[in-house]
Amino acid sequence: MNFKFRFQSLLELRRRERDEAGAAVGQANLAIQRVDQQREELNQQRVSMRKASAESRTGEVSVDRLLSAGRYDMQLEADEQALLQTRRELVQELVRRQHKLTTAEAELKRFEKLKSQDQHRHAAELRKVEQAEADDATGRRIALAIARRDKS
C-alpha cells in the first residue's frame, strides 16, 4: 500500500510560490544594489567635479565655467534626489516581497507538516494491518496445532 499525499499538487504549488517569492526578493535586493551603486558613482562625480573646480579657481576665473559647474552640480543633486526616491520605493517593494515570502514559507510549512502527519498516520495503519495479519496467522497456527493435538 503506497502512500499518496492527497494535497500533493497544492504542496507543489506552494513550493513554487515560495521559490518565486524568494526570487522576487532577490530581484528587489539587486535593484537596490544597482541604485546604491549609481548613487556612489554620482557622489564620485560630484567630488571629482568639486575638486577640479577648486583647483581651477587659481588665477583667472571664468564666470561661464563657474555657472556651468554650478548647473552641473545642481543636476547631479537632482539625480541624487531621484535615486533616493527610487531607493525608498524599492525598499518598500522589498518589504512587501519579504512579507509575501514569509507568508509563502508559512503556507508551505503547513502543507509539509500535514504531509508528515499523513505519512505517520499511513505508516501506523500499515503496522496495524500487518499486526492484524500476523495475529490471524498465529491464531490459525495455534488452532491447527490444537486440532492436531486433539486428533492424536
PDB file of all heavy atoms in Angstrom, residues 50-74:
ATOM      1  N   ARG A  50      34.000  68.928  -7.935  1.00  0.00           N
ATOM      2  CA  ARG A  50      34.323  69.973  -6.948  1.00  0.00           C
ATOM      3  C   ARG A  50      35.832  70.131  -6.786  1.00  0.00           C
ATOM      4  O   ARG A  50      36.338  71.240  -6.632  1.00  0.00           O
ATOM      5  CB  ARG A  50      33.666  69.655  -5.615  1.00  0.00           C
ATOM      6  CG  ARG A  50      32.177  69.889  -5.649  1.00  0.00           C
ATOM      7  CD  ARG A  50      31.532  69.573  -4.342  1.00  0.00           C
ATOM      8  NE  ARG A  50      30.089  69.811  -4.426  1.00  0.00           N
ATOM      9  CZ  ARG A  50      29.210  69.308  -3.610  1.00  0.00           C
ATOM     10  NH1 ARG A  50      29.606  68.528  -2.617  1.00  0.00           N
ATOM     11  NH2 ARG A  50      27.934  69.568  -3.756  1.00  0.00           N
ATOM     12  N   LYS A  51      36.524  69.017  -6.845  1.00  0.00           N
ATOM     13  CA  LYS A  51      37.988  69.076  -6.723  1.00  0.00           C
ATOM     14  C   LYS A  51      38.577  69.821  -7.925  1.00  0.00           C
ATOM     15  O   LYS A  51      39.440  70.682  -7.775  1.00  0.00           O
ATOM     16  CB  LYS A  51      38.550  67.650  -6.641  1.00  0.00           C
ATOM     17  CG  LYS A  51      40.008  67.576  -6.369  1.00  0.00           C
ATOM     18  CD  LYS A  51      40.445  66.116  -6.229  1.00  0.00           C
ATOM     19  CE  LYS A  51      41.910  66.014  -5.961  1.00  0.00           C
ATOM     20  NZ  LYS A  51      42.358  64.620  -5.883  1.00  0.00           N
ATOM     21  N   ALA A  52      38.083  69.500  -9.118  1.00  0.00           N
ATOM     22  CA  ALA A  52      38.567  70.168 -10.331  1.00  0.00           C
ATOM     23  C   ALA A  52      38.196  71.646 -10.298  1.00  0.00           C
ATOM     24  O   ALA A  52      38.983  72.515 -10.708  1.00  0.00           O
ATOM     25  CB  ALA A  52      37.990  69.503 -11.573  1.00  0.00           C
ATOM     26  N   SER A  53      37.026  71.968  -9.793  1.00  0.00           N
ATOM     27  CA  SER A  53      36.574  73.352  -9.703  1.00  0.00           C
ATOM     28  C   SER A  53      37.444  74.138  -8.719  1.00  0.00           C
ATOM     29  O   SER A  53      37.809  75.280  -8.979  1.00  0.00           O
ATOM     30  CB  SER A  53      35.111  73.390  -9.271  1.00  0.00           C
ATOM     31  OG  SER A  53      34.672  74.719  -9.116  1.00  0.00           O
ATOM     32  N   ALA A  54      37.794  73.522  -7.611  1.00  0.00           N
ATOM     33  CA  ALA A  54      38.633  74.194  -6.615  1.00  0.00           C
ATOM     34  C   ALA A  54      40.033  74.432  -7.162  1.00  0.00           C
ATOM     35  O   ALA A  54      40.643  75.477  -6.896  1.00  0.00           O
ATOM     36  CB  ALA A  54      38.696  73.361  -5.341  1.00  0.00           C
ATOM     37  N   GLU A  55      40.537  73.479  -7.930  1.00  0.00           N
ATOM     38  CA  GLU A  55      41.877  73.627  -8.497  1.00  0.00           C
ATOM     39  C   GLU A  55      41.913  74.700  -9.587  1.00  0.00           C
ATOM     40  O   GLU A  55      42.921  75.382  -9.778  1.00  0.00           O
ATOM     41  CB  GLU A  55      42.362  72.287  -9.075  1.00  0.00           C
ATOM     42  CG  GLU A  55      42.659  71.252  -8.018  1.00  0.00           C
ATOM     43  CD  GLU A  55      42.948  69.886  -8.617  1.00  0.00           C
ATOM     44  OE1 GLU A  55      42.861  69.724  -9.850  1.00  0.00           O
ATOM     45  OE2 GLU A  55      43.262  68.971  -7.829  1.00  0.00           O
ATOM     46  N   SER A  56      40.782  74.870 -10.292  1.00  0.00           N
ATOM     47  CA  SER A  56      40.768  75.828 -11.389  1.00  0.00           C
ATOM     48  C   SER A  56      40.474  77.255 -10.920  1.00  0.00           C
ATOM     49  O   SER A  56      40.480  78.178 -11.719  1.00  0.00           O
ATOM     50  CB  SER A  56      39.740  75.406 -12.438  1.00  0.00           C
ATOM     51  OG  SER A  56      38.433  75.555 -11.927  1.00  0.00           O
ATOM     52  N   ARG A  57      40.253  77.457  -9.665  1.00  0.00           N
ATOM     53  CA  ARG A  57      39.925  78.781  -9.151  1.00  0.00           C
ATOM     54  C   ARG A  57      41.172  79.661  -8.963  1.00  0.00           C
ATOM     55  O   ARG A  57      41.058  80.818  -8.627  1.00  0.00           O
ATOM     56  CB  ARG A  57      39.177  78.671  -7.826  1.00  0.00           C
ATOM     57  CG  ARG A  57      37.752  78.224  -8.035  1.00  0.00           C
ATOM     58  CD  ARG A  57      36.943  78.402  -6.794  1.00  0.00           C
ATOM     59  NE  ARG A  57      35.615  77.839  -7.033  1.00  0.00           N
ATOM     60  CZ  ARG A  57      34.860  77.326  -6.117  1.00  0.00           C
ATOM     61  NH1 ARG A  57      35.274  77.299  -4.871  1.00  0.00           N
ATOM     62  NH2 ARG A  57      33.690  76.856  -6.416  1.00  0.00           N
ATOM     63  N   THR A  58      42.307  79.125  -9.147  1.00  0.00           N
ATOM     64  CA  THR A  58      43.529  79.931  -9.028  1.00  0.00           C
ATOM     65  C   THR A  58      43.739  80.675 -10.335  1.00  0.00           C
ATOM     66  O   THR A  58      43.533  80.142 -11.425  1.00  0.00           O
ATOM     67  CB  THR A  58      44.748  79.041  -8.718  1.00  0.00           C
ATOM     68  OG1 THR A  58      44.865  78.065  -9.727  1.00  0.00           O
ATOM     69  CG2 THR A  58      44.617  78.391  -7.361  1.00  0.00           C
ATOM     70  N   GLY A  59      44.106  81.898 -10.243  1.00  0.00           N
ATOM     71  CA  GLY A  59      44.349  82.696 -11.453  1.00  0.00           C
ATOM     72  C   GLY A  59      43.039  83.267 -11.973  1.00  0.00           C
ATOM     73  O   GLY A  59      42.176  83.695 -11.218  1.00  0.00           O
ATOM     74  N   GLU A  60      42.890  83.285 -13.286  1.00  0.00           N
ATOM     75  CA  GLU A  60      41.682  83.827 -13.891  1.00  0.00           C
ATOM     76  C   GLU A  60      40.503  82.903 -13.632  1.00  0.00           C
ATOM     77  O   GLU A  60      40.607  81.688 -13.729  1.00  0.00           O
ATOM     78  CB  GLU A  60      41.868  83.967 -15.408  1.00  0.00           C
ATOM     79  CG  GLU A  60      42.631  85.182 -15.810  1.00  0.00           C
ATOM     80  CD  GLU A  60      42.594  85.348 -17.317  1.00  0.00           C
ATOM     81  OE1 GLU A  60      41.565  85.015 -17.941  1.00  0.00           O
ATOM     82  OE2 GLU A  60      43.601  85.784 -17.839  1.00  0.00           O
ATOM     83  N   VAL A  61      39.369  83.486 -13.340  1.00  0.00           N
ATOM     84  CA  VAL A  61      38.157  82.717 -13.066  1.00  0.00           C
ATOM     85  C   VAL A  61      37.157  83.017 -14.170  1.00  0.00           C
ATOM     86  O   VAL A  61      36.827  84.169 -14.438  1.00  0.00           O
ATOM     87  CB  VAL A  61      37.570  83.104 -11.692  1.00  0.00           C
ATOM     88  CG1 VAL A  61      36.272  82.359 -11.453  1.00  0.00           C
ATOM     89  CG2 VAL A  61      38.569  82.827 -10.586  1.00  0.00           C
ATOM     90  N   SER A  62      36.704  81.989 -14.802  1.00  0.00           N
ATOM     91  CA  SER A  62      35.716  82.129 -15.875  1.00  0.00           C
ATOM     92  C   SER A  62      34.321  82.026 -15.271  1.00  0.00           C
ATOM     93  O   SER A  62      33.964  81.019 -14.654  1.00  0.00           O
ATOM     94  CB  SER A  62      35.917  81.042 -16.918  1.00  0.00           C
ATOM     95  OG  SER A  62      34.834  81.028 -17.805  1.00  0.00           O
ATOM     96  N   VAL A  63      33.539  83.049 -15.437  1.00  0.00           N
ATOM     97  CA  VAL A  63      32.176  83.059 -14.906  1.00  0.00           C
ATOM     98  C   VAL A  63      31.341  81.987 -15.594  1.00  0.00           C
ATOM     99  O   VAL A  63      30.543  81.296 -14.942  1.00  0.00           O
ATOM    100  CB  VAL A  63      31.550  84.466 -15.088  1.00  0.00           C
ATOM    101  CG1 VAL A  63      30.083  84.470 -14.667  1.00  0.00           C
ATOM    102  CG2 VAL A  63      32.325  85.511 -14.314  1.00  0.00           C
ATOM    103  N   ASP A  64      31.506  81.835 -16.879  1.00  0.00           N
ATOM    104  CA  ASP A  64      30.752  80.815 -17.609  1.00  0.00           C
ATOM    105  C   ASP A  64      31.068  79.417 -17.078  1.00  0.00           C
ATOM    106  O   ASP A  64      30.173  78.573 -16.937  1.00  0.00           O
ATOM    107  CB  ASP A  64      31.056  80.883 -19.103  1.00  0.00           C
ATOM    108  CG  ASP A  64      30.451  82.111 -19.770  1.00  0.00           C
ATOM    109  OD1 ASP A  64      29.449  82.626 -19.220  1.00  0.00           O
ATOM    110  OD2 ASP A  64      30.960  82.525 -20.824  1.00  0.00           O
ATOM    111  N   ARG A  65      32.339  79.191 -16.804  1.00  0.00           N
ATOM    112  CA  ARG A  65      32.758  77.893 -16.279  1.00  0.00           C
ATOM    113  C   ARG A  65      32.139  77.673 -14.895  1.00  0.00           C
ATOM    114  O   ARG A  65      31.675  76.579 -14.584  1.00  0.00           O
ATOM    115  CB  ARG A  65      34.276  77.803 -16.197  1.00  0.00           C
ATOM    116  CG  ARG A  65      34.726  76.438 -15.678  1.00  0.00           C
ATOM    117  CD  ARG A  65      36.214  76.349 -15.538  1.00  0.00           C
ATOM    118  NE  ARG A  65      36.774  76.054 -16.868  1.00  0.00           N
ATOM    119  CZ  ARG A  65      38.052  76.057 -17.140  1.00  0.00           C
ATOM    120  NH1 ARG A  65      38.930  76.361 -16.204  1.00  0.00           N
ATOM    121  NH2 ARG A  65      38.486  75.758 -18.334  1.00  0.00           N
ATOM    122  N   LEU A  66      32.132  78.698 -14.051  1.00  0.00           N
ATOM    123  CA  LEU A  66      31.530  78.575 -12.721  1.00  0.00           C
ATOM    124  C   LEU A  66      30.026  78.311 -12.824  1.00  0.00           C
ATOM    125  O   LEU A  66      29.485  77.464 -12.109  1.00  0.00           O
ATOM    126  CB  LEU A  66      31.770  79.837 -11.894  1.00  0.00           C
ATOM    127  CG  LEU A  66      33.181  80.035 -11.355  1.00  0.00           C
ATOM    128  CD1 LEU A  66      33.297  81.380 -10.653  1.00  0.00           C
ATOM    129  CD2 LEU A  66      33.550  78.916 -10.405  1.00  0.00           C
ATOM    130  N   LEU A  67      29.347  79.036 -13.712  1.00  0.00           N
ATOM    131  CA  LEU A  67      27.908  78.813 -13.896  1.00  0.00           C
ATOM    132  C   LEU A  67      27.631  77.406 -14.425  1.00  0.00           C
ATOM    133  O   LEU A  67      26.706  76.727 -13.976  1.00  0.00           O
ATOM    134  CB  LEU A  67      27.329  79.855 -14.851  1.00  0.00           C
ATOM    135  CG  LEU A  67      27.195  81.269 -14.300  1.00  0.00           C
ATOM    136  CD1 LEU A  67      26.733  82.229 -15.397  1.00  0.00           C
ATOM    137  CD2 LEU A  67      26.223  81.285 -13.140  1.00  0.00           C
ATOM    138  N   SER A  68      28.434  76.995 -15.365  1.00  0.00           N
ATOM    139  CA  SER A  68      28.272  75.654 -15.924  1.00  0.00           C
ATOM    140  C   SER A  68      28.504  74.588 -14.853  1.00  0.00           C
ATOM    141  O   SER A  68      27.737  73.622 -14.749  1.00  0.00           O
ATOM    142  CB  SER A  68      29.249  75.462 -17.080  1.00  0.00           C
ATOM    143  OG  SER A  68      29.154  74.154 -17.574  1.00  0.00           O
ATOM    144  N   ALA A  69      29.539  74.759 -14.046  1.00  0.00           N
ATOM    145  CA  ALA A  69      29.830  73.806 -12.974  1.00  0.00           C
ATOM    146  C   ALA A  69      28.701  73.807 -11.947  1.00  0.00           C
ATOM    147  O   ALA A  69      28.304  72.753 -11.437  1.00  0.00           O
ATOM    148  CB  ALA A  69      31.161  74.143 -12.308  1.00  0.00           C
ATOM    149  N   GLY A  70      28.151  75.003 -11.654  1.00  0.00           N
ATOM    150  CA  GLY A  70      27.038  75.088 -10.709  1.00  0.00           C
ATOM    151  C   GLY A  70      25.797  74.380 -11.226  1.00  0.00           C
ATOM    152  O   GLY A  70      25.113  73.676 -10.478  1.00  0.00           O
ATOM    153  N   ARG A  71      25.504  74.573 -12.508  1.00  0.00           N
ATOM    154  CA  ARG A  71      24.348  73.891 -13.103  1.00  0.00           C
ATOM    155  C   ARG A  71      24.547  72.371 -13.104  1.00  0.00           C
ATOM    156  O   ARG A  71      23.626  71.614 -12.815  1.00  0.00           O
ATOM    157  CB  ARG A  71      24.106  74.401 -14.519  1.00  0.00           C
ATOM    158  CG  ARG A  71      23.415  75.756 -14.568  1.00  0.00           C
ATOM    159  CD  ARG A  71      22.945  76.078 -15.984  1.00  0.00           C
ATOM    160  NE  ARG A  71      24.060  76.310 -16.893  1.00  0.00           N
ATOM    161  CZ  ARG A  71      24.597  77.501 -17.140  1.00  0.00           C
ATOM    162  NH1 ARG A  71      24.111  78.576 -16.557  1.00  0.00           N
ATOM    163  NH2 ARG A  71      25.590  77.625 -17.982  1.00  0.00           N
ATOM    164  N   TYR A  72      25.761  71.972 -13.427  1.00  0.00           N
ATOM    165  CA  TYR A  72      26.058  70.532 -13.436  1.00  0.00           C
ATOM    166  C   TYR A  72      25.917  69.951 -12.033  1.00  0.00           C
ATOM    167  O   TYR A  72      25.346  68.869 -11.850  1.00  0.00           O
ATOM    168  CB  TYR A  72      27.463  70.288 -13.995  1.00  0.00           C
ATOM    169  CG  TYR A  72      27.818  68.828 -14.138  1.00  0.00           C
ATOM    170  CD1 TYR A  72      27.113  68.005 -15.000  1.00  0.00           C
ATOM    171  CD2 TYR A  72      28.876  68.283 -13.420  1.00  0.00           C
ATOM    172  CE1 TYR A  72      27.431  66.670 -15.135  1.00  0.00           C
ATOM    173  CE2 TYR A  72      29.209  66.939 -13.552  1.00  0.00           C
ATOM    174  CZ  TYR A  72      28.479  66.133 -14.410  1.00  0.00           C
ATOM    175  OH  TYR A  72      28.801  64.817 -14.539  1.00  0.00           O
ATOM    176  N   ASP A  73      26.377  70.696 -11.048  1.00  0.00           N
ATOM    177  CA  ASP A  73      26.259  70.239  -9.660  1.00  0.00           C
ATOM    178  C   ASP A  73      24.786  70.140  -9.264  1.00  0.00           C
ATOM    179  O   ASP A  73      24.377  69.191  -8.585  1.00  0.00           O
ATOM    180  CB  ASP A  73      27.012  71.178  -8.714  1.00  0.00           C
ATOM    181  CG  ASP A  73      27.089  70.616  -7.303  1.00  0.00           C
ATOM    182  OD1 ASP A  73      27.437  69.419  -7.162  1.00  0.00           O
ATOM    183  OD2 ASP A  73      26.800  71.362  -6.342  1.00  0.00           O
ATOM    184  N   MET A  74      23.978  71.106  -9.682  1.00  0.00           N
ATOM    185  CA  MET A  74      22.547  71.068  -9.377  1.00  0.00           C
ATOM    186  C   MET A  74      21.881  69.872 -10.065  1.00  0.00           C
ATOM    187  O   MET A  74      21.005  69.219  -9.484  1.00  0.00           O
ATOM    188  CB  MET A  74      21.869  72.373  -9.815  1.00  0.00           C
ATOM    189  CG  MET A  74      22.188  73.546  -8.895  1.00  0.00           C
ATOM    190  SD  MET A  74      21.553  75.155  -9.434  1.00  0.00           S
ATOM    191  CE  MET A  74      19.907  74.816  -9.905  1.00  0.00           C
TER     192      MET A  74
END
